[in-house]
């Protein structure tokens, strides 16, 4: 069954449907959260929070407004970004240190799902962006920086960053269009 | 001037799709989204693009995470779907294009029919019963405070679940009503749900007690409707949980027989 249908069943309290949905979305959710949050323990905690929120709030999904997967991943991304920002606010330096210590071991343990083709395509398409488009998009999406922070890091005016983000995403769409 | 402002807001669509706005800007932009159909379409398209970036990061989560999440799901009631016509007041802290907070194009004034999401009788499980109960309890008056509380609670629940030793257990009474617990002895925390005990007079409450050998019961708090109760500071000597019916506001010590009790041994306590 597709995620969209499953989510509707989950909204009706169907735990079996949730198990199936878990199988479909837990990899992307965990992968995305881990990419943004980095710290393994926190990534797991945020992912669990997201998946539980999925169960609790499935009734809020409106199939008329986009796919279930994009709903789920948007929720996951929002939560991951919230976490990484509050962690940064709590102590930027400490966090960086923690990441350096935990990062490699965790990467070693983590098993990558067979998302090979999509992964390869995204990589290729990212490579085709201009450096500024790519950095603007990835610093925001993968590292959880606000566009103001991105502008600061890249020493660019705010307007330029907004445009690069937009162009970057549109270019990605053109490039990825064929493999959806 | 107004045109310029609007133009300026438009340019926030991409940062918004990437979750790259400051909180205040996010609020301002979401407010704008409710009235700007062009922005909505753009945000939706850009969000789909951003989500492609997510797919490529897919990573298999630890196997234990599945057990924890599924245990939590068994113990956690669902939040009912909002009636669509009031959705905008209820979900401002989540992306409206995903949560459906903006009016549909071309029929923004027409109230939308309620979606046929609730099929509780087809899935007559304890969880479904909880959903129905909480649906009636909360749907009439779903405020932002409640949503925030629900979210904070999800976080607390997730915290208990994140403990490596988190385990779940349920107990049923003879009438099929049940108590569910997800607990971590290491964290000294537990998330407790009641299901089926909704026939309570308005001046009475359900109070949760921690039972320990040779000691007085310790109050863990009062249940509010079907909302799970998060208890912390549990000592490992605890043997069981008990629920009594008490006068509004609760009692220092139980004043009646427990209506349901649950041994904690299977979730790692009582050692």
């Amino acid at each position: 069954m597709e995620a969209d249908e499953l989510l509707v069943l989950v909204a009706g309290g169907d735990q079996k449907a949730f198990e199936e949905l878990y199988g479909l979305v837990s990899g992307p959710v965990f992968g995305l959260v881990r990419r943004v949050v980095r710290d393994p323990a926190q990534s797991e905690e945020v992912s669990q929070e997201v998946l539980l929120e999925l169960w609790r709030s499935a009734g809020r999904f409106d199939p008329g407004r986009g796919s279930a997967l994009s709903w789920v991943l948007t929720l996951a991304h929002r939560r991951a970004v919230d976490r990484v920002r509050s962690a940064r606010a709590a102590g930027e330096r400490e966090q960086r240190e923690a990441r350096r210590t935990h990062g490699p071991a965790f990467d070693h343990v983590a098993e990558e799902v067979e998302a090979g083709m999509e992964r390869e395509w995204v990589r290729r398409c990212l490579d085709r962006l201009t450096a500024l488009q790519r950095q603007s998009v990835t610093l925001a999406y993968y590292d959880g920086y606000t566009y103001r922070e991105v502008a600061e890091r890249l020493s660019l005016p705010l307007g330029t960053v907004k445009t690069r983000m937009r162009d970057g995403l549109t270019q990605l769409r053109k490039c990825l269009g064929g493999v959806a | 001037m107004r045109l310029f402002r609007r133009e300026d807001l438009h340019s926030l669509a991409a940062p918004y799709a990437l979750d790259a706005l400051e909180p205040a800007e996010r609020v301002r932009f979401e407010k704008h989204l409710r009235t700007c159909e062009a922005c909505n379409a753009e945000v939706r398209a850009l969000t789909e693009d951003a989500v492609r970036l997510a797919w490529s990061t897919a990573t298999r989560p630890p196997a234990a995470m599945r057990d924890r999440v599924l245990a939590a799901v068994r113990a956690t009631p669902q939040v009912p779907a909002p009636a669509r016509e009031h959705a905008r007041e209820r979900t401002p802290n989540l992306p409206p294009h995903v949560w459906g907070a903006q009016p549909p194009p071309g029929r923004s004034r027409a109230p939308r029919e309620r979606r046929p999401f609730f099929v509780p009788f087809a899935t007559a499980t304890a969880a479904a019963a909880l959903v129905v109960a909480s649906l009636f309890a909360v749907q009439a008056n779903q405020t932002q405070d409640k949503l925030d509380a629900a979210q904070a609670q999800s976080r607390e629940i997730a915290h208990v679940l994140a403990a490596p030793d988190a385990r779940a257990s349920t107990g049923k009474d003879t009438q099929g009503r049940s108590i569910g617990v997800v607990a971590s002895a290491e964290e000294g925390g537990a998330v407790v749900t009641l299901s089926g005990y909704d026939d309570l007079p308005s001046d009475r409450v359900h109070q949760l007690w921690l039972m320990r050998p040779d000691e007085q019961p310790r109050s863990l708090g009062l249940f509010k409707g079907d909302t799970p109760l998060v208890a912390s500071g549990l000592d490992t000597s605890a043997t069981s949980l008990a629920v009594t019916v008490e006068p509004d506001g609760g009692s220092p010590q139980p004043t009646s027989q427990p209506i349901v009790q649950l041994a904690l041994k299977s979730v790692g306590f009582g050692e």
Side-chain angles (χ1 to χ4, degrees):
Chain A
M1 224 185 287
E2 299 280 326
D4 294 80
E5 303 166 69
L6 288 170
L7 202 46
V8 173
L9 292 177
V10 169
D14 187 333
Q15 296 186 6
K16 278 274 166 260
F18 182 84
E19 282 182 38
E20 207 176 316
L21 184 66
Y22 183 96
L24 285 181
V25 305
S26 61
V29 165
F30 181 67
L32 177 61
V33 171
R34 196 192 66 146
R35 182 72 181 79
V36 177
V37 174
R38 311 283 181 97
D39 174 76
Q42 288 200 40
S43 300
E44 218 177 302
E45 201 176 308
V46 172
S47 301
Q48 287 174 183
E49 192 182 314
V50 167
L51 290 158
L52 190 61
E53 194 171 337
L54 201 58
W55 160 257
R56 288 180 61 101
S57 310
R60 296 180 174 276
F61 168 63
D62 186 344
R65 300 179 187 283
S67 76
L69 289 170
S70 109
W71 185 72
V72 171
L73 289 171
T74 304
L75 175 63
H77 191 257
R78 177 68 66 92
R79 294 286 170 262
V81 162
D82 285 348
R83 174 63 66 100
V84 86
R85 286 194 194 145
S86 56
R88 271 184 200 136
E92 171 93 51
R93 203 151 293 165
E94 251 176 40
Q95 284 300 316
R96 259 205 303 251
E97 207 47 54
R99 267 182 224 164
R100 209 171 293 141
T101 328
H102 291 296
F106 183 55
D107 280 338
H108 186 68
V109 175
E111 253 185 287
E112 294 199 340
V113 165
E114 305 286 315
M117 190 164 164
E118 176 82 4
R119 194 185 298 268
E120 217 20 69
W121 267 102
V122 169
R123 215 165 268 164
R124 276 177 57 179
C125 291
L126 278 173
D127 279 346
R128 285 192 202 167
L129 304 182
T130 68
L132 285 183
Q133 288 173 346
R134 184 170 53 247
Q135 286 169 318
S136 302
V137 167
T138 57
L139 279 172
Y141 198 74
Y142 287 144
D143 297 309
Y145 289 106
T146 66
Y147 78 98
R148 288 174 193 279
E149 289 168 327
V150 172
E152 218 166 279
R153 292 176 83 89
L154 301 178
S155 311
L156 291 172
L158 287 177
T160 311
V161 167
K162 288 190 276 188
T163 317
R164 294 300 172 270
M165 285 178 168
R166 199 195 149 157
D167 294 348
L169 284 175
T170 334
Q171 284 304 116
L172 266 183
R173 182 189 316 166
K174 279 185 197 144
C175 178
L176 285 168
V179 292
Chain B
M1 192 62 205
R2 184 176 159 73
L3 261 179
F4 175 77
R5 243 178 84 87
R6 218 173 152 74
E7 197 62 27
D8 196 40
L9 276 170
H10 275 336
S11 72
L12 293 180
Y16 179 78
L18 292 165
D19 282 327
L21 295 182
E22 314 275 348
E25 282 173 317
R26 191 196 274 180
V27 169
R28 201 169 131 233
F29 185 72
E30 287 184 349
K31 204 169 153 199
H32 171 66
L33 266 184
R34 289 178 201 147
T35 55
C36 173
E37 280 173 21
C39 309
N40 258 305
E42 186 174 19
V43 161
R44 217 178 299 176
L46 289 170
T47 302
E48 293 288 338
D49 300 333
V51 161
R52 296 296 288 275
L53 290 168
W55 271 109
S56 67
T57 64
T59 303
R60 186 166 300 143
M65 194 175 109
R66 183 176 190 274
D67 299 338
R68 282 189 221 121
V69 170
L70 296 183
V73 158
R74 282 191 288 276
T76 309
Q78 293 174 300
V79 178
R84 287 290 123 181
E85 57 269 29
H86 299 306
R88 68 180 61 171
E89 285 82 25
R90 288 170 184 169
T91 56
N93 64 341
L94 283 162
H97 63 286
V98 205
W99 289 98
Q102 80 284 4
R107 42 180 296 196
S108 48
R109 272 154 208 279
R112 301 191 62 208
E113 71 281 7
R114 231 159 259 197
R115 293 158 310 146
F117 267 178
F118 292 100
V119 283
F121 300 110
T123 54
T125 60
L130 269 181
V131 175
V132 177
S134 57
L135 170 67
F136 290 123
V138 192
Q139 189 176 45
N141 185 25
Q142 185 80 12
T143 63
Q144 185 54 39
D145 283 354
K146 277 189 183 165
L147 283 175
D148 287 346
Q151 226 171 61
Q153 201 179 30
S154 289
R155 256 196 298 280
E156 286 187 71
I157 294 171
H159 185 71
V160 172
L161 296 173
D165 68 331
R167 277 184 267 171
S169 176
T170 51
K172 265 199 167 70
D173 69 8
T174 49
Q175 296 168 54
R177 301 178 297 191
S178 65
I179 177 170
V181 62
V182 179
S184 157
E186 215 163 89
E187 292 279 325
V191 180
V192 187
T193 46
L194 277 187
S195 137
Y197 293 94
D198 18 293
D199 51 347
L200 199 63
S202 58
D203 58 345
R204 290 282 183 279
V205 288
H206 286 128
Q207 190 162 2
L208 180 69
W209 305 93
L210 184 69
M211 315 299 277
R212 295 164 296 177
D214 311 319
E215 281 186 68
Q216 300 278 331
R218 174 156 77 86
S219 173
L220 293 176
L222 306 175
F223 283 97
K224 290 188 190 104
D226 279 308
T227 313
L229 204 159
V230 183
S232 55
L234 310 187
D235 28 334
T236 47
S237 68
T239 50
S240 66
L241 295 174
V243 178
T244 61
V245 174
E246 301 295 335
D248 205 6
S251 309
Q253 282 296 310
T255 60
S256 61
Q257 286 294 311
I259 51 168
V260 66
Q261 229 170 329
L262 180 67
L264 287 173
K265 200 169 169 52
S266 68
V267 289
F269 286 82
E271 302 302 324

